Amino acid sequence: MKLAYALPLAGVAAFGTVLGASAVQAETLTVATVNNNDMVIMQRLSSAFEEAHPDIDLEWVVLEENVLRQRLTTDIATNGGQFDVMTIGTYEAPIWAEREWLAPLENLPESYNQKDLLKPVMDGLSHDGKPYALPFYGESSMMYYRTDLFEQAGIEMTDQPTWKEVREWAGKINDPDKGIAGICLRGKPGWGENMAFVTTLVNTYGGRWFNMDWEPEIDSESWNEAINFYVDLLNNYGPPGASSNGFNENLALFSQGKCGMWVDATSAAGKLYNPSESNVADKLGFAPAPVAETPKGSHWLWSWALAIPASSNSKDAAKEFITWATSQDYVEMVGEKVGWTSVPPGTRESTYTNEKYQEAAPFADFVLDAIRDADPTDSTLKPSPYTGVQIVGIPEFQSIGTQVGQMIAAALTGEMSVDQALSNSQRATQRTMERAGYIK
């Protein structure tokens, strides 16, 4: 908290001079967020919040996804108190809430209209029935493709594409001489980067992270088939340096027309359909995330949300900001000032009944259905002991997912074979689960 004082001074008053006796108090909120497009817009529009709240100043810390997660986890686990507002997701919210690292977000103002928030998204941000984060945007995953390239190649999109079809299509539209990759997929290592996509791929190949006894199954036949397919697909038809590409890098490539297909977050649709930000806005098609052996777990459920760490000394001001940034009024402001394709998706029923949004965003109903259809409690072909589609809802997954993600990236670059990557991942995860007491 930063305080600026203007107090009467007794000595000066004795000479008949009186200085201002009013005290002006300015409270500084430190907001940590990810460098995704929607959050960049939030930062740009936040001057409206400061104008309406002259007693609150905002200080921004905007970081790349992997760096943000590392900084926030370290700070909150050590009660560091560096941040007043944290951008977290459906993985962290319930785990950190259980450890009493987050302040509950209860007794919200009636004008906030909490019932308008999408239930699947809010369920993932709650613990014991209480919300511990409010969704800034929500998403599932889907497939984007270039309709012009499909037409030129004589390809007709199916109602439910399969990964086998995707490989065939990638081969037909791949054109390195023109700088066009057949497909772009996440390769950058991280539990929330490459492993978010890879886990959905493994799910649909019939795999799972753990059996019902919490024993890892990373060296299983399903994992082997999925990862061999992934490595082969990207090495043959992916862009150069695929192992360095996460969500933002692939979004930039696709919007520049350098990818024929891309399977990733539904939240990218708004930017891709915006002609001022995308070179492919007029030739963009979309379809459900592809499947292999099963549709289960083929598309994820995620929300980037705003939360208050228990260590913050400015909880009331932080709550004021969070309710502003996730409100229906904020959605309206983005629509009017930036464009309706740019409003934060996947959080409010009212967004999807708004005629302006429906008109501007042909993908709106498709995305809403994908979010509602994703089931974190039933995402694998065989029963699993965990909750999560692209994540495993246990505290250890952050380190497990990142470690396995590094092994998968090494297989993608050819530093090791797929068999070696999965064998190393299996052993490392087994050790972690034994130390944590999941396996006796």
Side-chain angles (χ1 to χ4, degrees), residues 184-225:
C184 291
L185 298 170
R186 296 189 189 191
K188 180 189 290 186
W191 68 267
E193 278 284 10
N194 65 342
M195 294 316 296
F197 166 75
V198 165
T199 300
T200 62
L201 181 67
V202 168
N203 289 342
T204 196
Y205 267 85
R208 56 185 175 174
W209 277 91
F210 302 99
N211 66 21
M212 292 301 289
D213 294 321
W214 286 106
E215 295 167 337
E217 292 195 338
I218 304 169
D219 59 356
S220 66
E221 184 178 342
S222 297
W223 271 80
N224 195 283
E225 287 182 12

Side-chain angles (χ1 to χ4, degrees), residues 40-62:
V40 172
I41 292 173
M42 172 175 63
Q43 183 184 8
R44 197 164 81 228
L45 297 180
S46 63
S47 58
F49 173 82
E50 290 179 304
E51 288 170 12
H53 302 81
D55 56 335
I56 301 175
D57 292 330
L58 300 176
E59 186 175 280
W60 292 86
V61 179
V62 183

Side-chain angles (χ1 to χ4, degrees), residues 200-375:
T200 62
L201 181 67
V202 168
N203 289 342
T204 196
Y205 267 85
R208 56 185 175 174
W209 277 91
F210 302 99
N211 66 21
M212 292 301 289
D213 294 321
W214 286 106
E215 295 167 337
E217 292 195 338
I218 304 169
D219 59 356
S220 66
E221 184 178 342
S222 297
W223 271 80
N224 195 283
E225 287 182 12
I227 304 307
N228 269 299
F229 174 85
Y230 166 77
V231 169
D232 178 74
L233 181 66
L234 276 182
N235 281 336
N236 281 293
Y237 308 122
S243 63
S244 300
N245 294 340
F247 170 76
N248 280 325
E249 291 81 6
N250 283 324
L251 174 59
L253 287 172
F254 195 92
S255 65
Q256 292 163 11
K258 295 180 180 180
C259 304
M261 292 178 286
W262 180 34
V263 180
D264 212 297
T266 57
S267 58
K271 183 165 185 172
L272 294 178
Y273 268 95
N274 187 339
S276 67
E277 298 187 83
S278 170
N279 295 336
V280 296
D282 61 343
K283 39 185 169 281
L284 180 62
F286 56 89
V291 301
E293 303 299 322
T294 175
K296 278 193 173 187
S298 62
H299 56 285
W300 66 62
L301 179 65
W302 180 257
S303 172
W304 278 115
L306 303 178
I308 305 171
S311 56
S312 171
N313 292 320
S314 302
K315 292 184 179 66
D316 289 343
K319 185 177 179 181
E320 195 77 27
F321 173 74
I322 288 176
T323 52
W324 172 84
T326 62
S327 67
Q328 190 173 343
D329 287 343
Y330 176 83
V331 172
E332 293 274 348
M333 180 172 67
V334 175
E336 297 300 333
K337 290 192 173 185
V338 185
W340 283 99
T341 57
S342 297
V343 305
T347 61
R348 289 185 169 272
E349 298 279 358
S350 56
T351 301
Y352 293 89
T353 57
N354 187 305
E355 291 182 4
K356 293 178 181 177
Y357 184 63
Q358 286 280 348
E359 184 179 343
F363 51 84
D365 291 337
F366 181 91
V367 169
L368 183 60
D369 288 343
I371 290 172
R372 286 174 169 163
D373 185 54
D375 187 355

Side-chain angles (χ1 to χ4, degrees), residues 2-6 22-26 54:
K2 295 181 180 177
L3 302 178
Y5 292 98
S22 62
V24 178
Q25 179 174 320

Side-chain angles (χ1 to χ4, degrees), residues 23-195:
V24 178
Q25 179 174 320
E27 191 168 4
T28 299
L29 287 182
T30 303
V31 182
T33 195
V34 67
N35 63 342
N36 290 353
N37 186 56
D38 292 275
M39 281 70 175
V40 172
I41 292 173
M42 172 175 63
Q43 183 184 8
R44 197 164 81 228
L45 297 180
S46 63
S47 58
F49 173 82
E50 290 179 304
E51 288 170 12
H53 302 81
D55 56 335
I56 301 175
D57 292 330
L58 300 176
E59 186 175 280
W60 292 86
V61 179
V62 183
L63 300 167
E64 185 269 331
E65 187 170 322
N66 286 338
V67 177
L68 175 79
R69 285 174 164 143
Q70 186 177 21
R71 284 275 303 272
L72 296 189
T73 302
T74 300
D75 184 73
I76 203 162
T78 59
N79 201 35
Q82 292 183 53
F83 309 108
D84 301 297
V85 176
M86 290 180 163
T87 303
I88 64 172
T90 47
Y91 169 72
E92 297 96 341
I95 293 174
W96 291 4
E98 185 177 11
R99 295 183 172 191
E100 299 183 348
W101 290 351
L102 300 175
L105 289 165
E106 298 179 289
N107 303 315
L108 300 176
E110 189 175 337
S111 60
Y112 183 73
N113 193 7
Q114 189 173 350
K115 291 181 179 179
D116 186 42
L117 298 173
L118 294 174
K119 188 178 184 300
V121 174
M122 281 310 299
D123 286 347
L125 301 174
S126 301
H127 174 65
D128 283 345
K130 294 180 183 178
Y132 281 84
L134 295 178
F136 184 70
Y137 72 79
E139 64 182 33
S140 185
S141 52
M142 63 195 283
M143 187 166 99
Y144 304 97
Y145 65 97
R146 289 267 303 273
T147 56
D148 58 331
L149 298 182
F150 268 54
E151 188 175 340
Q152 290 167 20
I155 303 169
E156 189 170 334
M157 176 56 68
T158 55
D159 291 339
Q160 174 56 75
T162 66
W163 280 111
K164 182 180 178 181
E165 289 174 327
V166 167
R167 193 187 191 287
E168 292 173 2
W169 298 338
K172 290 180 178 180
I173 61 179
N174 189 57
D175 194 347
D177 292 339
K178 292 184 179 179
I180 299 173
I183 190 165
C184 291
L185 298 170
R186 296 189 189 191
K188 180 189 290 186
W191 68 267
E193 278 284 10
N194 65 342
M195 294 316 296

